[in-house]
Amino acid sequence: MENLRILIDNRQKERLPTAPLYKKTEQILNALGCDNHELSIVITDDAQVRDLNRTYRGKDAPTNVLSFPMQEGEFSDITPGLLGDVVISLDTARAEALESGISTDERMSQLLIHGILHLMGFDHELGEDQARKMEEKSLELLRRIEGNPDLTAF
């Protein structure tokens, strides 16, 4: 794990504790066999994630999580250990947690997993089979990092 590099950029005025997020990210990456990799996580708000969503996906609305993989495209072999960036809107995560009756921390875990799986090539938008595979892997990872093998929904 000494070669695992995780950068967390908390752009919120209210400082979210990053140590638990770091530990969960480490657990996720180790479970995926990425113990010699690097990624960055940005915790931001709806306004900033909306700008990113508009610029890179053509969608003029905030979203909960965006992923920017570095293992795709023409130059992906230049830095093979660099997975990419995961951007999470804390505003949306909090609203979704409240709506779902779960803690913000648990919703952040779900979004972190979702974002990292996108960096690893999982994509629920490529059809039902891919969506099912991503959901199964998500639940497996969530159970692991939350220490609760009985979780049934993601």
Side-chain angles (χ1 to χ4, degrees), residues 5-154:
R5 296 188 59 208
I6 302 165
L7 172 67
I8 300 174
D9 181 5
N10 186 356
R11 296 187 180 175
Q12 297 295 292
K13 288 180 185 173
E14 173 193 339
R15 287 303 189 201
L16 190 72
T18 56
L21 197 59
Y22 186 95
K23 182 177 178 176
K24 289 177 182 184
T25 303
E26 191 175 56
Q27 290 174 309
I28 294 164
L29 293 176
N30 285 328
L32 293 170
C34 296
D35 54 357
N36 194 24
H37 289 75
E38 179 179 348
L39 76 91
S40 69
I41 300 164
V42 178
I43 308 301
T44 189
D45 60 19
D46 277 351
Q48 289 178 333
V49 86
R50 180 183 189 157
D51 288 343
L52 291 169
N53 205 19
R54 182 181 330 118
T55 300
Y56 295 102
R57 298 184 68 227
K59 297 183 180 191
D60 191 17
T63 189
N64 50 21
V65 63
L66 292 168
S67 296
F68 298 95
M70 297 299 290
Q71 297 297 302
E72 297 176 359
E74 184 179 349
F75 302 105
S76 62
D77 59 340
I78 292 175
T79 53
L82 181 59
L83 293 176
D85 307 310
V86 174
V87 181
I88 300 173
S89 170
L90 185 57
D91 293 342
T92 299
R94 282 187 173 140
E96 290 174 347
L98 185 62
E99 185 179 306
S100 299
I102 61 175
S103 70
T104 299
D105 185 55
E106 187 175 344
R107 186 61 184 147
M108 290 291 289
S109 294
Q110 292 173 342
L111 295 173
L112 180 63
I113 290 167
H114 189 87
I116 291 173
L117 287 178
H118 273 299
L119 296 181
M120 301 294 299
F122 285 81
D123 193 344
H124 55 89
E125 295 179 358
L126 294 179
E128 289 181 33
D129 187 50
Q130 292 296 317
R132 182 183 46 75
K133 287 177 182 176
M134 188 170 185
E135 185 175 337
E136 288 171 0
K137 184 54 94 173
S138 297
L139 186 55
E140 172 192 322
L141 291 168
L142 184 64
R143 287 174 174 165
R144 177 180 283 207
I145 68 170
E146 293 298 323
N148 183 352
D150 299 325
L151 287 173
T152 58
F154 185 78

